[in-house]
Structure formats: C-alpha cells, structure tokens
Amino acid sequence: RRIRAFFSYLDGRDYIRARNLEGGVYPQYLAGVEALAAHPPRVTGETESLFEMLKNVSYLYRVLGKQRLQIVADVLEHESEILEPTMRAFYQWYSGSSDRLKGRPSLATQYAYASYLVDTFGGRSYLLRRDSRTRLLTMYYCILVLDRSNDQKLNPNGIDIRPLVASTARDMRAQRGLTFQKQYLAELDRLARKYP
C-alpha cells in the first residue's frame, strides 16, 4: 500500500507531470528494475583496465538510460524530506514476503547492486555524488542486503561487511536529523556482534 501510494504521489507532482510519462512513474520503475536485473554490474575485475573502470562509472547511465536516471535524480532532489521513510518502505517491501505488486528485485539482484555500490570504484563514485544523508542511508541498506545474502549463502564476491558496518555506524552516529537513527544504530550494533 505504501509503495503504491508513493508512485501515485509522484504522479501528482508538477516536476513529474511535466515529463508526460505514459502510465506514470511506476511503468518506468518496472522497466528500470527489469533492465538492471537483466544486465548486472561488473563487481570483480573492475580495475583490470581503464576502459572497464570507465564502463563501471557510467554503468547506471548506460543501463537505465538518460530519462530514467533523470527521473531518479529529480526524485532525490525534490523528495529529500520523505527520502528516509521511502527508502525504509522500499527495503521492507524488497525483503518481505510475496506480494502481488510487481517490481521487487530478487535477492541475487539486490546483492549485485549492493556489491556494486560498496565494493567498486564506479559504485562508490556514484555514491560520492549524492548528499551525505542519501549516501549513508544507501550504505546502511546495502549492508542489510549483504547480511541477508550471507544468511542465504549468497556472497560470490566474498564481500566482508565488517569494515562497512563499523564505518557506517560511526557515520550514522555523526549524522543529524534521521528519524530512525536509533533503529539503524541498534541494527548495526547487532551486525557488529554477528560479525566479530
């Protein structure tokens, strides 16, 4: 219900209406998720050549395309006030039980993108172009995805989340204005105990 409400809310916003999207934002979201699932990023061997590194830096642009990436940028810019609860709702939807609403990426797809964002030059350079709050929340949810992947024995890239947990907890303590900061820190503390 919250996910449907979010897409309906976006469709009513002037900056989205100005784009004249056929069917609204949700079909664009579905097409983006399908494209990302069909073309996972390269995580290992990214630094083998300058060409591969540059491909990874421009990866999201190449896979999503200019229009979808611009929609994402517009949403991040215009909806910063609701970004935190929205990210939380999407993560709960992604990690919950089955739902009739299409568009939930598989855990393998979530793992591929969490790996890309935390363990590649291309992914990290993308995060560095975001504001500190967006970057921190993204890191937090990437850690949760990597933890769920570890629980399912799905970590082919062998990513060690211990340093990520420690650095994200430190940054989370310093961040101001997060509604769910106590919950984030409690979860990161639990993960620090789980991965000593």
Side-chain angles (χ1 to χ4, degrees):
R1 201 167 49 238
R2 286 179 294 167
I3 301 303
R4 286 188 182 96
F6 175 69
F7 286 120
S8 295
Y9 164 77
L10 288 182
D11 288 339
R13 302 285 280 156
D14 290 341
Y15 70 94
I16 294 292
R17 283 203 309 256
R19 292 186 167 277
N20 296 316
L21 300 172
E22 187 176 330
V25 176
Y26 179 63
Q28 293 294 322
Y29 166 81
L30 285 179
V33 168
E34 288 173 15
L36 292 170
H39 306 284
R42 181 171 183 177
V43 175
T44 58
E46 173 196 39
T47 57
E48 289 175 0
S49 72
L50 182 58
F51 178 69
E52 287 300 325
M53 194 178 301
L54 291 174
K55 271 177 55 179
N56 246 14
V57 168
S58 64
Y59 169 78
L60 291 173
Y61 182 87
R62 287 184 297 107
V63 174
L64 289 176
K66 182 178 180 179
Q67 180 181 1
R68 283 191 203 102
L69 209 52
Q70 188 58 54
I71 291 169
V72 172
D74 284 351
V75 170
L76 288 173
E77 178 185 344
H78 290 91
E79 309 303 337
S80 62
E81 292 298 314
I82 63 167
L83 179 67
E84 185 181 0
T86 300
M87 289 179 80
R88 183 180 175 106
F90 270 85
Y91 179 76
Q92 289 169 342
W93 178 45
Y94 287 174
S95 59
S97 58
S98 63
D99 186 343
R100 289 189 303 255
L101 185 64
K102 293 180 182 178
R104 289 182 352 155
S106 68
L107 181 57
T109 298
Q110 292 175 52
Y111 171 82
Y113 288 92
S115 298
Y116 169 73
L117 290 169
V118 305
D119 203 43
T120 69
F121 179 79
R124 287 191 305 265
S125 70
Y126 173 78
L127 285 180
L128 285 173
R129 294 191 300 268
R130 307 282 70 83
D131 64 276
S132 64
R133 190 165 157 257
T134 302
R135 184 170 54 248
L136 181 59
L137 291 170
T138 302
M139 286 297 295
Y140 173 76
Y141 286 112
C142 284
I143 289 169
L144 296 188
V145 167
L146 293 171
D147 175 54
R148 284 178 38 233
S149 300
N150 280 337
D151 290 346
Q152 298 294 318
K153 309 287 190 255
L154 175 70
N155 188 357
N157 298 326
I159 295 174
D160 180 4
I161 70 171
R162 290 175 296 183
L164 298 171
V165 169
S167 64
T168 303
R170 183 184 62 245
D171 294 344
M172 191 69 76
R173 283 185 194 90
Q175 186 70 37
R176 297 290 173 246
L178 292 174
T179 303
F180 305 109
Q181 187 173 31
K182 287 182 181 176
Q183 291 96 322
Y184 302 145
L185 288 169
E187 182 63 12
L188 290 168
D189 185 51
R190 182 190 73 80
L191 291 174
R193 294 191 306 273
K194 181 177 178 180
Y195 300 98

